[in-house]
Amino acid sequence: MAVTHATTGPAANGTGFASFLTTIPVTLAVMAIGLAVSIAGAVAVYALLAFILPDSRLLGAIVVMFLGVAACFGYFWSSNKLLDTFYPAAGANIAINLTKANAIRPWLFLGPALIVLGIYLVYPVINSIVLSFYGPTGENWVGLYNYQWLAGDGAFRESVRNNILWLLVVPAAATFFGLVAAALTDRISWGNLAKSLIFMPMAISFIGASVIWKFIYDYRPEGAEQIGLLNAIVTLLGGSPQAWITVPFWNNFFLMVVLIWIQTGFAMVILSAALRGIPEETIEAAVIDGASPFQIFYKIKVPQIWGTIAVVWTTITILVLKVFDIVLAMTNGQWGTQVLANYMFDWMFRGLDFGRASTIALVIMIMVVPIMIWNIREARKDMR
Amino acid sequence: MSTAVGARPALVWAVNISVLLLVAIWTIPTLGILVSSFRDKDQLVVSGWWTALTPSEQSMMARAAPPDEAVQQHGQWVISGNVFGENTGRVSAFGTSIQRPGEFEPGTSAEMDGGMITIEENGDYSITYPEQPEGRRGERLFFTSVEPPKFTTANYETVLFSEGIGQSFINTMTVTIPATVIPILIAAYAAYALSWMEFPGRALLLATIVGLLVVPLQMALIPLLRLYNDIGVGKSYIGIWLAHTGFGLPLAIYLLRNYIAGLPREIIESAKVDGATDFDIFRKIILPLSFPALASFAIFQFLWVWNDLLVATVFLGNNEDQLVMTGRLRELLGSRGGNWEILTASAFVAIIVPIVVFFALQRYLVRGLLAGSVKGG
């Protein structure tokens, strides 16, 4: 899937670890000056513009966008310039200067990204682990209390059960429908149009999709005219209408349908590309041997794209672990539909217990870790 | 194409019909809210949207003229008039109680409160009493009327101007524009360093970024909320721009690195030979060449930020100035749960921009998906 190549950079003259350490102070100094200059510049311009421009948030946002980009450029330009003045590529020490500058420059390029990643992703992971040992406000140490509470909590167990149901059903169903859609649309003349339409729900927010499906599941008492499509079909076939999202246990599946509906397009697009990448010869050989179209699909094509199927499957699995909006909007965890992400949100916003909420977040994280490790290993294989 | 093996007519038909069915299942739900959002709200509650083009039946109530307007005819007292008043319409049935507005055919007679009532199909009614009726208020008349299909843009006017969707639309724009653009440059420089510059720890850094791709957002919420409150950022736009920048960066770096590392080595090396610095190479060669990858990421980030509910709920307030569209939809689902005319119109306003972006730039989106399918969603 990934476009990767061996990438040994140019101008490599084995920077040792010791010499790397000596460059750190200079790197940090240059980075700090560059950041300070560009951010101060952007803030100054913003303050100036705030005086002149009419008071409008949208306009402000556009100004911020331009200033943000300008500040980025400003940082990269100024820190780069600074480095060149520090270690000029001229004079007696040109060789040493070039080596040193080349050792520092990558870190200047990486600087802003590393700072942002550190603050927004690395620090929170560590902090969440710490917070899980603290009480509601994050101030008093409670040891393993949150974990003990979690182990005995009924709603938590329900969430785990539901999350496992989601994990079993949604990736499988979305991948299956995606595979079927990919295989079928590749064989017809209007396939691209069909693909676009099946892919479209990808663009719809979970909450928008929840409104769409809640309308389909709409329920009126028996005898009244049903305006929800599902109940209309059920009554047409002679059944009695149901309030689908309140039916215990099965309502989970009605919620899953929303995510399957959204994710099938994703699976289809990836798998369709994989199917097209299958070498023609293998299929031709099967045709000559008299294989039927179904045999070709299941015995020749599918085995060749297992790798891609796995990628699609794990990607949707991660999404499922984080699913939150759909449950929040459709049932808010009532009628036995709670999931971990929504339960965490519940404890954060309504329970106002940061300790418990962090502990639940940590459970989600732990469930993601195996996939994370698998991804890293696959990526490293690709890069080699 | 070798798949033409299946060119047997029956199979071709089966494939076409299956795809048609799939497409139908995947588009009808959205079509449902689109059609509903343009329907008259009284029709929306009584009939399914798939009947939008056929006349709909509606239970209605009208009040007859007061008893003192009764006139004496052939020894009986008669009150008459038309249930539609000034308007016109068609009565398909009538009844004598609110529970059963469809009990009697138009033109037949029914007993009601000591009198006989008849309602004609065109709405003319007459109530005859043996004695002079008493009382001040007219009888209530229950009937079912047949209405022609009505379409309106009133629902949109309501949601945009009085339900606050218009304001939320602007708030969402305010969040999305900087949050989409700012990460791009930061990520592009980092991606270049990770692909074409040599430094210790590069492999480890790449592995970390691949790992960060899948970190659940839930992990980040509480620590960042506390951090924001401690340093005084609180609930502000600058806070959410930076948060989206942070959460989008791993994907941005990963996508761009895959692309930039795949650019031909000769171009970069010949530029080096000509004396170009890394900074020049990036600005003059890498950035223009990476446009497709930059576009892919921009679309991802745009869709993700526009559709996000979780980050906005945590890092922005609930007031008129900060409530984004997804948050507003969620609020409406709670407060206007049964008002489908409001919900469908609001939902459509919320999804139309991403859908337009999606159809216009699908090519780049697909390319990005294929290059970075580790994260998804």
Side-chain angles (χ1 to χ4, degrees):
Chain A
M1 42 130 213
V3 196
T4 37
H5 296 267
T7 53
T8 34
N13 35 0
T15 349
F17 191 67
S19 65
F20 166 67
L21 285 180
T22 60
T23 60
I24 289 178
V26 183
T27 313
L28 289 180
V30 172
M31 208 186 282
I33 296 171
L35 278 177
V37 167
S38 51
I39 291 174
V43 170
V45 175
Y46 184 78
L48 196 70
L49 284 176
F51 255 120
I52 308 164
L53 290 173
D55 189 27
S56 146
R57 254 174 305 114
L58 191 56
L59 203 62
I62 293 168
V63 169
V64 166
M65 176 189 88
F66 280 110
L67 284 180
V69 173
C72 285
F73 254 122
Y75 160 78
F76 289 114
W77 181 82
S78 62
S79 61
N80 205 56
K81 203 80 189 158
L82 211 59
L83 189 66
D84 287 341
T85 13
F86 221 79
Y87 295 118
N93 296 332
I94 180 161
I96 300 170
N97 279 355
L98 270 182
T99 315
K100 284 198 169 153
N102 278 337
I104 292 174
R105 211 182 310 273
W107 296 103
L108 295 184
F109 278 32
L110 284 165
L114 293 185
I115 294 171
V116 173
L117 285 177
I119 296 175
Y120 284 89
L121 289 168
V122 179
Y123 158 75
V125 170
I126 298 163
N127 194 235
S128 283
I129 297 173
V130 174
L131 278 175
S132 72
F133 296 105
Y134 280 84
T137 54
E139 274 151 15
N140 44 325
W141 173 268
V142 295
L144 289 175
Y145 171 76
N146 288 326
Y147 292 89
Q148 283 163 355
W149 163 78
L150 211 58
D153 185 52
F156 173 72
R157 254 179 260 148
E158 176 194 309
S159 311
V160 172
R161 182 203 72 177
N162 289 342
N163 259 102
I164 291 172
L165 274 181
W166 280 75
L167 285 176
L168 290 176
V169 175
V170 176
T175 311
F176 172 77
F177 285 122
L179 189 58
V180 169
L184 293 179
T185 50
D186 276 346
R187 306 171 65 120
I188 55 172
S189 53
W190 53 287
N192 280 338
L193 176 69
K195 269 202 192 108
S196 276
L197 292 172
I198 295 175
F199 194 27
M200 184 198 64
M202 266 292 274
I204 297 177
S205 56
F206 289 146
I207 194 102
S210 300
V211 173
I212 291 174
W213 282 89
K214 219 173 175 181
F215 189 45
I216 288 187
Y217 298 149
D218 188 78
Y219 163 73
R220 300 290 163 97
E222 193 152 9
E225 178 95 13
Q226 298 294 334
I227 68 165
L229 188 58
L230 186 59
N231 273 323
I233 293 171
V234 167
T235 36
L236 189 73
L237 298 176
S240 56
Q242 300 278 334
W244 301 105
I245 57 173
T246 62
V247 183
F249 187 70
W250 298 106
N251 51 6
N252 281 303
F253 295 91
F254 290 108
L255 266 55
M256 290 177 206
V257 166
V258 183
L259 193 57
I260 297 170
W261 181 71
I262 292 175
Q263 286 299 310
T264 295
F266 162 76
M268 175 193 69
V269 165
I270 308 264
L271 294 172
S272 156
L275 283 175
R276 277 198 228 128
I278 293 175
E280 293 281 308
E281 304 84 63
T282 57
I283 296 159
E284 273 157 22
V287 172
I288 291 165
D289 289 346
S292 77
F294 289 102
Q295 283 174 324
I296 292 176
F297 184 68
Y298 285 109
K299 299 210 169 126
I300 310 289
K301 287 185 174 177
V302 171
Q304 293 194 66
I305 58 167
W306 269 126
T308 314
I309 291 178
V311 168
V312 170
W313 196 292
T314 51
T315 307
I316 301 177
T317 300
I318 289 167
L319 191 75
V320 167
L321 280 170
K322 296 189 284 191
V323 72
F324 148 78
D325 320 39
I326 296 173
V327 176
L328 179 78
M330 301 276 274
T331 62
N332 198 10
Q334 288 169 279
W335 308 296
T337 54
Q338 192 64 282
V339 293
L340 286 172
N342 191 51
Y343 194 46
M344 183 261 166
F345 184 82
D346 223 37
W347 273 109
M348 177 170 68
F349 260 79
R350 280 198 293 151
L352 293 175
D353 187 328
F354 284 178
R356 289 182 183 181
S358 295
T359 316
I360 301 167
L362 216 57
V363 173
I364 304 176
M365 180 75 195
I366 290 166
M367 292 170 92
V368 171
V369 164
I371 296 173
M372 187 190 265
I373 293 169
W374 187 77
N375 273 349
I376 292 174
R377 287 173 61 171
E378 290 296 303
R380 291 185 71 111
K381 232 187 277 167
D382 266 356
M383 280 159 200
R384 234 169 259 137
Chain B
M1 232 169 91
S2 64
T3 40
V5 256
R8 280 171 292 172
L11 200 63
V12 172
W13 272 104
V15 168
N16 271 296
I17 290 169
S18 317
V19 175
L20 206 61
L21 201 70
L22 273 176
V23 169
I25 297 173
W26 259 261
T27 49
I28 281 174
T30 319
L31 189 68
I33 67 148
L34 174 61
V35 171
S36 297
S37 68
F38 284 106
R39 292 185 74 200
D40 182 74
K41 72 172 192 234
D42 295 324
Q43 296 196 346
L44 180 59
V45 293
V46 294
S47 63
W49 60 268
W50 52 92
T51 64
L53 291 176
T54 56
S56 68
E57 291 204 330
Q58 222 168 313
S59 299
M60 296 180 75
M61 202 264 300
R63 203 171 270 284
D68 53 8
E69 282 183 25
V71 289
Q72 205 170 10
Q73 284 177 357
H74 315 297
Q76 285 181 319
W77 294 83
V78 179
I79 299 172
S80 58
N82 190 293
V83 291
F84 294 110
E86 304 286 293
N87 306 319
T88 54
R90 194 160 73 81
V91 173
S92 65
F94 72 98
T96 54
S97 71
I98 193 158
Q99 288 83 16
R100 280 173 296 175
E103 208 177 354
F104 305 103
E105 295 275 311
T108 57
S109 297
E111 200 182 322
M112 183 172 77
D113 294 341
M116 293 297 286
I117 177 171
T118 304
I119 301 182
E120 302 291 339
E121 201 175 304
N122 65 5
D124 286 342
Y125 68 88
S126 64
I127 314 172
T128 47
Y129 297 95
E131 322 249 306
Q132 182 167 14
E134 284 173 11
R136 282 194 311 117
R137 306 185 68 189
E139 287 284 351
R140 289 188 297 168
L141 308 174
F142 304 98
F143 61 97
T144 308
S145 86
V146 179
E147 301 257 316
K150 269 195 272 182
F151 291 98
T152 166
T153 54
N155 302 332
Y156 284 95
E157 281 158 32
T158 313
V159 299
L160 284 177
F161 303 114
S162 53
E163 290 291 340
I165 287 284
Q167 181 63 46
S168 293
F169 190 90
I170 293 173
N171 295 346
T172 299
M173 282 283 223
T174 309
V175 172
T176 310
I177 295 171
T180 303
V181 177
I182 292 175
I184 292 180
L185 207 56
I186 299 179
Y189 272 99
Y192 174 73
L194 287 170
S195 347
W196 293 101
M197 292 165 109
E198 189 79 4
F199 58 91
R202 194 174 74 168
L204 186 70
L205 212 53
L206 264 174
T208 312
I209 285 164
V210 173
L212 290 179
L213 274 176
V214 297
V215 167
L217 272 188
Q218 278 78 9
M219 288 294 280
L221 302 178
I222 292 174
L224 289 176
L225 198 62
R226 285 163 53 93
L227 182 73
Y228 275 8
N229 286 335
D230 287 347
I231 62 173
V233 174
K235 302 205 164 192
S236 64
Y237 279 102
I238 182 84
I240 196 168
W241 290 328
L242 287 173
H244 276 305
T245 301
F247 302 147
L249 259 191
L251 181 70
I253 298 176
Y254 179 75
L255 273 184
L256 293 177
R257 197 214 83 100
N258 280 351
Y259 191 86
I260 291 173
L263 293 174
R265 165 179 299 270
E266 296 76 38
I267 302 182
I268 290 146
E269 277 178 356
S270 61
K272 283 241 157 115
V273 171
D274 292 345
T277 64
D278 280 314
F279 187 71
D280 293 331
I281 293 174
F282 177 80
R283 204 165 45 93
K284 294 193 181 136
I285 300 174
I286 304 288
L287 218 46
L289 281 181
S290 318
F291 177 76
L294 300 180
S296 297
F297 169 73
I299 295 162
F300 265 120
Q301 181 77 351
F302 175 85
L303 290 179
W304 156 246
V305 175
W306 187 280
N307 288 336
D308 159 78
L309 172 68
L310 185 57
V311 179
T313 315
V314 176
F315 295 112
L316 277 183
N318 222 355
N319 51 355
E320 199 60 18
D321 280 348
Q322 293 193 328
L323 192 56
V324 293
M325 229 154 20
T326 46
R328 178 79 67 178
L329 261 187
R330 178 201 161 200
E331 205 185 81
L332 288 176
L333 262 176
S335 63
R336 303 297 207 115
N339 296 41
W340 283 111
E341 78 283 0
I342 304 272
L343 284 173
T344 52
S346 308
F348 203 73
V349 174
I351 66 178
I352 186 66
V353 172
I355 285 185
V356 168
V357 168
F358 170 85
F359 279 118
L361 302 168
Q362 205 181 138
R363 201 156 46 97
Y364 292 108
L365 185 71
V366 170
R367 198 176 304 175
L369 271 184
L370 293 177
S373 46
V374 171
K375 187 186 180 189

